[in-house]
Amino acid sequence: MGTITRSSTSIFQRLGVRPVINACGVYTDLGGTVLSPTVWAAMEEMNTSAVRLVELLDATGAHIAKLMQAEAARVTPGASAAIALGTAACMAGMNGEHWERLPDTTGMKNEVVIQKRHRYKYDRCARIPGAKLVEAGDENGTTLAQLEAAMTPQTAMILFPAHLDERTGTIALRDVTALAKRCSVPTLVDAAYLNYPTERMASFGKAGADLVCFSAKYFWGPNSGGFIYGRKDLIDAVAGVDFTRYESGKYLTFGRPFKLDRQTIAGVVVALEEWLAMDHEARWRGYASKVLWIMQVLSGANVSMQPMYFTMEERLEEAPVNCLAVRFASANAAAAVCARLAEGEPSIATVPVGGHLVIAMDTVLNGQEHEIARRLKEELARL
Ligand SMILES: *Cc1c(COP(=O)(O)O)cnc(C)c1O
């Protein structure tokens, strides 16, 4: 048996990891965001007692459904899991033997149709429960006729990444859901980060989507949280195929590894409530004022700096301001400063984009802009 040693050193030191100032934005590999005191308090309170997880998931699901003006909803361990579980639900429905059989899809519809120009990293999550992706159209786009032709008696679902809606040549969500309904095939929308303006979250259901997935990491909830909302029969199937009742129920369900803590479930709901009630104008003003502060400290430095908008697609646009873009002579120079900021003390994570170094404020805590400005000034003085 080992002995328990108490130490006054911080958990970071004890585990041998460096705290990082995150000036990149919300990235899974940087742990998402720092949870708000309200969210953390809810998680802490949830820690004080056991609860029945099925009851907690049903109750929080009903609550989220109301917020999303949807028939039903369910917390999931992230948007990736929501895609996997939603796809499983579309294939297996309410058939318990099928919940157990996946990812073997024998006896089930197992084709997921996606527009060729909608292929993206997370479409892989639809294949986890055993579905096969069927591409509609080609590199130039997809026509309604091509989408219809891709539908077969084996089609279980259409997967629609909402951030790629309106990409040139693709069919818009409303037209896809209209065709899907005519074919009696559900549409699953990945809207992972499309949570602002907040009305946008419910809009996908209103546009005819049968299931809609969000990641809690993007509304300042737990990095391992998310939810899915939509049609009641499909959410019931998600609840059937998910991790609950594996020991107590009849079926060894496919979703068992997609497990959730009660603390995370509470954190997702409270973070969502907070996000919907937040003064978002003040949030954006906060980013801009941090950017201006850093620019002031660096005034006189021999680089050009501009307040800009670092998009979720990692592009730089003019507005609204959420980052400082520092322009260097070359992409190599930007990458070198990025590396030195990461290695320095404290470690600061930034994003090189071509010849720019992006310092994104979405995840910078109040006061951290001072450290960022100090370190940047040092590095610029070395150029
Ligand atoms: C981050 C992300 C996901 C995955 O969300 P998790 O909650 O991390 O599983 C899915 N789709 C898109 C577009 C994302 O950006």
Side-chain angles (χ1 to χ4, degrees):
M1 293 279 280
T3 46
I4 296 170
T5 50
R6 295 211 179 278
S7 151
S8 60
T9 28
S10 84
I11 192 72
F12 298 99
Q13 282 182 338
R14 216 148 58 67
L15 300 182
V17 289
R18 301 180 67 195
V20 173
I21 292 179
N22 177 5
C24 298
V26 178
Y27 287 90
T28 288
D29 284 0
L30 286 166
T33 59
V34 171
L35 300 172
S36 78
T38 330
V39 172
W40 189 245
M43 294 174 76
E44 200 165 2
E45 186 180 357
M46 191 49 78
N47 189 46
T48 61
S49 174
V51 294
R52 291 190 171 80
L53 275 199
V54 168
E55 184 185 338
L56 179 63
L57 282 166
D58 286 350
T60 51
H63 185 56
I64 293 174
K66 221 176 260 167
L67 295 174
M68 293 293 116
Q69 304 161 56
E71 284 179 20
R74 194 125 180 128
V75 174
T76 61
S80 308
I83 296 166
L85 292 168
T87 306
C90 289
M91 292 191 294
M94 289 305 286
N95 185 326
E97 274 144 39
H98 289 181
W99 296 340
E100 179 161 322
R101 189 174 303 157
L102 292 174
D104 173 354
T105 60
T106 306
M108 291 171 243
K109 297 180 178 185
N110 67 346
E111 292 177 0
V112 168
V113 172
I114 185 167
Q115 300 183 58
K116 174 76 178 175
R117 297 210 67 203
H118 275 180
R119 291 299 309 272
Y120 75 125
K121 280 184 182 168
Y122 292 91
D123 64 28
R124 190 257 176 277
C125 299
R127 291 195 293 111
I128 291 173
K132 205 174 82 184
L133 285 181
V134 174
E135 292 179 348
D138 56 32
E139 318 286 351
N140 298 318
T142 306
T143 63
L144 260 182
Q146 284 171 323
L147 184 62
E148 194 156 9
M151 312 278 263
T152 75
Q154 280 300 103
T155 306
M157 189 184 98
I158 295 177
L159 175 59
F160 194 105
H163 59 287
L164 300 179
D165 198 2
E166 287 168 20
R167 183 175 262 197
T168 317
T170 61
I171 309 167
L173 179 60
R174 272 191 185 281
D175 298 324
V176 169
T177 57
L179 171 67
K181 280 190 199 323
R182 266 191 283 121
C183 303
S184 299
V185 166
T187 306
L188 182 148
V189 169
D190 175 7
Y193 58 77
L194 300 177
N195 56 23
Y196 181 78
T198 52
E199 301 77 57
R200 197 147 182 218
M201 298 180 84
S203 72
F204 305 103
K206 291 176 184 163
D210 300 280
L211 290 172
V212 185
C213 306
F214 287 95
S215 175
K217 69 182 184 233
Y218 294 124
F219 53 80
W220 299 0
N223 195 32
S224 59
F227 68 86
I228 183 165
Y229 80 71
R231 241 167 64 191
K232 180 167 185 317
D233 62 318
L234 292 174
I235 297 294
D236 285 348
V238 169
V241 78
D242 82 3
F243 71 96
T244 55
R245 303 183 179 91
Y246 193 87
E247 292 283 347
S248 63
K250 225 171 130 186
Y251 304 104
L252 303 180
T253 51
F254 160 78
R256 180 60 182 81
F258 295 102
K259 181 171 165 168
L260 279 156
D261 290 327
R262 63 192 186 285
Q263 297 88 337
T264 303
I265 299 169
V268 168
V269 176
V270 175
L272 177 63
E273 287 174 336
E274 213 166 27
W275 183 258
L276 295 176
M278 191 178 293
D279 180 348
H280 286 277
E281 292 301 318
R283 175 168 69 85
W284 289 101
R285 279 198 304 275
Y287 302 156
S289 77
K290 285 188 173 81
V291 166
L292 288 180
W293 200 90
I294 296 174
M295 286 179 74
Q296 255 165 28
V297 174
L298 298 184
S299 63
N302 194 21
V303 287
S304 95
M305 291 175 286
Q306 211 183 328
M308 291 196 89
Y309 177 41
F310 185 48
T311 71
M312 292 297 304
E313 294 77 30
E314 302 186 323
R315 284 191 309 267
L316 281 169
E317 292 174 7
E318 299 262 305
V321 169
N322 69 345
C323 81
L324 175 65
V326 185
R327 192 175 175 76
F328 291 89
S330 67
N332 279 348
V337 172
C338 173
R340 283 201 293 274
L341 288 173
E343 287 154 15
E345 186 55 46
S347 178
I348 301 171
T350 55
V351 192
V353 178
H356 286 101
L357 188 63
V358 173
I359 325 261
M361 298 303 155
D362 312 57
T363 43
V364 170
L365 305 178
N366 289 335
Q368 289 183 329
E369 69 274 22
H370 304 157
E371 288 288 287
I372 294 172
R374 181 183 65 77
R375 284 289 299 120
L376 253 180
K377 197 171 177 177
E378 283 175 7
E379 290 305 330
L380 296 182
R382 293 177 46 166
L383 290 178

